[in-house]
Amino acid sequence: MSTNNAVEMEPLMTLDEVAEYLRVSVLTVRWLRQEGKFAPAVKVGRRLAWKRSDVVAWVTEQTEVAA
């Protein structure tokens, strides 16, 4: 009997998918990343991708508190 210890990873989001999810332009996502103000990316070869949970956590952190 063999045991499968593989950890299932969540699907990664592309730059276009992140921009669409946030309803902003790709340039805005690039700018936020360049300024160090965005969720950490995963480098896959020469491309960047994001875990959906990291993007959702970043959005949650950006939520303003009502006065």
Side-chain angles (χ1 to χ4, degrees), residues 28-55:
T28 298
V29 177
R30 286 184 178 151
W31 177 80
L32 286 166
R33 183 176 177 279
Q34 178 182 336
E35 295 295 311
K37 298 179 179 181
F38 195 57
V42 175
K43 197 160 191 180
V44 182
R46 299 179 79 188
R47 297 184 180 261
L48 296 174
W50 287 263
K51 292 187 213 173
R52 182 178 214 64
S53 59
D54 288 345
V55 175

